[in-house]
Amino acid sequence: MSDALLTARNVSKRFGITQALDDVSVSFRVGEVHALMGENGAGKSTLGKVISGLHRQDTGTVAIDGRVLRPGSIDDAFHAGIRIVHQELAQCPNLTVAENLCLHDIPRTRLGLVDDRAMCQRAERLLAKLEPGIDVRAKLGSLSPGHRQIVQIASSLDENPGKAAAEGAHPARVIVLDEPTSSLSIAEVERLLAIVRRLAEQGLTLIYVSHRMGEIFAVCDRVTVLRDGKFVATSNVKDMDEA
């Protein structure tokens, strides 16, 4: 694991009688798309949530650049540059795209009013990295599922996260994508995969949670397979075939 940016070592997590993760160790490199694969219940989403601080592991550690993160600390993971994009769209469809992208830190004028211009400019800057054609003034609920997913990814790239920025939060370095294409059309999937590949080329580490073989071979560099909460293997995608 010497060339790893992020490591999970000997991670175990139990929910009641279910052993979701059992002594799992995986490493993730800078600028790679790394798939976590397995059947439903294999533990792949649980591992992604442990890495991002949403779940507190029972044993084991998660470390980035050699610094061990506090178990179950979303703040620690966020400040270290770890973000998660959930399978379920965590958004407000009744608000505009710009409002959704600025909810954590709404810009205001000197009079304390919402600065709509600054809010739209920030949203346009974020979306320019991914899909500049999205209208930031449109209601989020009017967008296609694919565009809503892109907005959610754009939110994870925001380098101006309010109070966290003042406290030294690191820009996004690792993004966990939890089943990101589950509700998308074929064309939207292809667009999202192109965005994922481009983010990796820019130096981000993408942890791609999925069980869709085609997507793994299309976009991922390495794949880690989990089965019944246990680590099975990590391999280069180019060295494998679907069978």
Side-chain angles (χ1 to χ4, degrees):
M1 296 188 183
S2 59
D3 61 344
L5 168 68
L6 176 73
T7 59
R9 295 180 185 269
N10 308 114
V11 172
S12 295
K13 176 65 180 178
R14 177 183 289 273
F15 297 100
I17 63 172
T18 302
Q19 188 72 47
L21 294 171
D22 188 0
D23 197 34
V24 172
S25 295
V26 190
S27 66
F28 305 91
R29 299 169 182 163
V30 174
E32 75 168 347
V33 185
H34 191 131
L36 293 180
M37 290 197 76
E39 296 179 347
N40 290 336
K44 53 191 187 296
S45 290
T46 300
L47 181 58
K49 290 174 181 177
V50 166
I51 288 169
S52 57
L54 289 174
H55 287 334
R56 179 187 178 95
Q57 67 268 34
D58 302 323
T59 61
T61 60
V62 175
I64 186 166
D65 274 341
R67 184 173 74 85
V68 176
L69 305 179
R70 288 178 295 162
S73 173
I74 297 174
D75 287 344
D76 231 26
F78 183 90
H79 278 69
I82 300 171
R83 312 285 190 266
I84 185 167
V85 176
H86 298 279
Q87 178 178 357
E88 302 83 12
L89 294 171
Q91 300 165 315
C92 300
N94 59 312
L95 301 180
T96 67
V97 171
E99 288 167 336
N100 272 273
L101 285 171
C102 297
L103 274 177
H104 58 273
D105 182 26
I106 297 175
R108 297 188 180 277
T109 66
R110 286 180 294 177
L111 298 176
L113 303 175
V114 173
D115 191 334
D116 186 69
R117 181 181 177 186
M119 186 164 56
C120 289
Q121 288 175 340
R122 184 194 301 173
E124 288 170 348
R125 186 180 69 249
L126 286 169
L127 286 169
K129 303 175 183 179
L130 306 178
E131 190 69 67
I134 294 176
D135 182 3
V136 300
R137 294 170 178 80
K139 296 289 186 185
L140 189 72
S142 69
L143 270 57
S144 69
H147 277 173
R148 290 185 62 182
Q149 185 68 277
I150 289 170
V151 170
Q152 191 156 264
I153 294 172
S155 180
S156 73
L157 297 174
D158 195 352
E159 297 179 7
N160 183 31
K163 295 180 180 178
E167 296 168 2
H170 205 290
R173 306 166 76 191
V174 177
I175 300 179
V176 180
L177 298 170
D178 189 4
E179 302 278 5
T181 63
S182 59
S183 61
L184 306 189
S185 69
I186 293 174
E188 289 172 332
V189 168
E190 291 177 352
R191 178 61 185 143
L192 185 67
L193 295 182
I195 288 171
V196 168
R197 191 70 255 167
R198 190 164 75 244
L199 291 174
E201 291 168 355
Q202 294 170 2
L204 273 74
T205 299
L206 286 299
I207 300 176
Y208 196 90
V209 178
S210 181
H211 58 266
R212 296 186 174 184
M213 289 284 189
E215 295 172 16
I216 302 307
F217 283 96
V219 76
C220 295
D221 301 296
R222 292 195 298 157
V223 55
T224 291
V225 178
L226 301 177
R227 184 185 300 126
D228 297 327
K230 297 179 183 293
F231 172 84
V232 176
T234 295
S235 300
N236 294 320
V237 171
K238 66 180 181 181
D239 297 331
M240 306 175 69
D241 58 28
E242 189 165 322

